Amino acid sequence: GQNIDQPTEMTATEGAIVQINCTYQTSGFNGLFWYQQHAGEAPTFLSYNVLDGLEEKGRFSSFLSRSKGYSYLLLKELQMKDSASYLCAVQDSNYQLIWGAGTKLIIKP
Amino acid sequence: GAVVSQHPSRVICKSGTSVKIECRSLDFQATTMFWYRQFPKQSLMLMATSNEGSKATYEQGVEKDKFLINHASLTLSTLTVTSAHPEDSSFYICSARKLEGAYEQYFGPGTRLTVT
């Protein structure tokens, strides 16, 4: 079967760095996505990785290792507005997104 | 950009009635649109995938006669919840993809459905 695992909840301090991990087992692989979702809102796109390595975009970076079926989202200089759920999703061989359950990130002052 | 709109954003209806939700891609043509449902504190659940001009492909466990999907044009897909019941109350989100194989799905803002 297809499976995406990520922690249910994480807590971090404003100004700090946090890493959210995601492991996956899917039928084929056509890229891994990270989305941010604030409560009551639709997801917004953060990053896309299809090759191994680190993609940096401002305060957010995403890493992929296809051989390990592993990715992480790194958030630096945390701000209170970063409190949200972070969803990991893998695009399978049919270009369908398989979603993780999401990681709720709580930022404390 | 790639903007997707949904209408209505919130709807309250009585049990037994039908509700139609529209999903539009405003500045691009969407060959494929997806409909998701999300219950509180849970992740997105794909309900169905629709391609313009063809019948939607429903996920296992989703009743196609209850959730009617029409993808009549390259910019519009509709989801009709027929004979709604309180357990259908949820957050319904659509997304659109520009081209076959293109990697990103663009999400609409979602529709909060409450069935009383």
Side-chain angles (χ1 to χ4, degrees):
Chain A
Q2 308 206 88
N3 196 47
I4 310 282
D5 285 318
Q6 51 182 128
T8 304
E9 187 174 296
M10 299 182 71
T11 303
T13 304
E14 189 178 16
I17 299 173
V18 71
Q19 177 175 310
I20 303 174
N21 296 324
C22 171
T23 58
Y24 64 88
Q25 291 179 309
T26 56
S27 302
F29 180 84
N30 278 302
L32 185 144
F33 298 78
W34 285 95
Y35 283 85
Q36 180 191 61
Q37 186 178 25
H38 286 100
E41 299 180 12
T44 55
F45 172 79
L46 288 179
S47 68
Y48 169 73
N49 294 69
V50 68
L51 299 176
D52 290 349
L54 186 69
E55 295 279 344
E56 297 187 76
K57 190 186 293 185
R59 293 189 299 115
F60 294 3
S61 303
S62 57
F63 171 84
L64 174 67
S65 169
R66 288 171 297 171
S67 62
K68 295 182 179 178
Y70 168 70
S71 172
Y72 67 73
L73 179 69
L74 190 72
L75 293 77
K76 303 177 184 177
E77 302 170 16
L78 287 170
Q79 301 175 9
M80 297 303 293
K81 67 178 182 179
D82 297 329
S83 293
S85 287
Y86 291 85
L87 308 175
C88 172
V90 172
Q91 193 158 240
D92 68 9
S93 56
N94 295 318
Y95 291 95
Q96 186 158 299
L97 282 179
I98 312 300
W99 293 87
T103 298
K104 182 178 181 180
L105 177 62
I106 300 169
I107 309 295
K108 295 185 175 180
Chain B
V3 181
V4 177
S5 70
Q6 270 184 253
H7 179 80
S9 57
R10 289 179 180 270
V11 58
I12 301 172
C13 70
K14 293 187 177 181
S15 187
T17 62
S18 295
V19 174
K20 180 185 282 188
I21 303 170
E22 290 187 350
C23 177
R24 293 182 185 271
S25 55
L26 299 184
D27 52 2
F28 67 97
Q29 292 184 325
T31 54
T32 305
M33 287 185 169
F34 304 86
W35 286 97
Y36 293 88
R37 181 168 51 182
Q38 187 176 35
F39 293 105
K41 298 185 180 180
Q42 295 187 22
S43 190
L44 298 170
M45 287 174 43
L46 180 65
M47 298 176 67
T49 302
S50 72
N51 293 291
E52 185 266 339
S54 62
K55 290 185 178 181
T57 302
Y58 290 81
E59 294 300 300
Q60 194 172 8
V62 178
E63 300 174 57
K64 59 182 179 182
D65 293 331
K66 179 172 181 63
F67 298 99
L68 302 178
I69 292 172
N70 184 16
H71 193 160
S73 75
L74 287 172
T75 60
L76 173 65
S77 177
T78 60
L79 167 69
T80 302
V81 182
T82 62
S83 187
H85 291 285
E87 57 264 31
D88 298 325
S89 298
S90 187
F91 192 43
Y92 291 86
I93 308 171
C94 74
S95 70
R97 196 167 65 198
K98 288 182 179 180
L99 297 167
E100 190 64 42
Y103 63 84
E104 188 175 344
Q105 290 185 25
Y106 301 92
F107 284 87
T111 297
R112 176 76 59 192
L113 171 63
T114 304
V115 184
T116 60

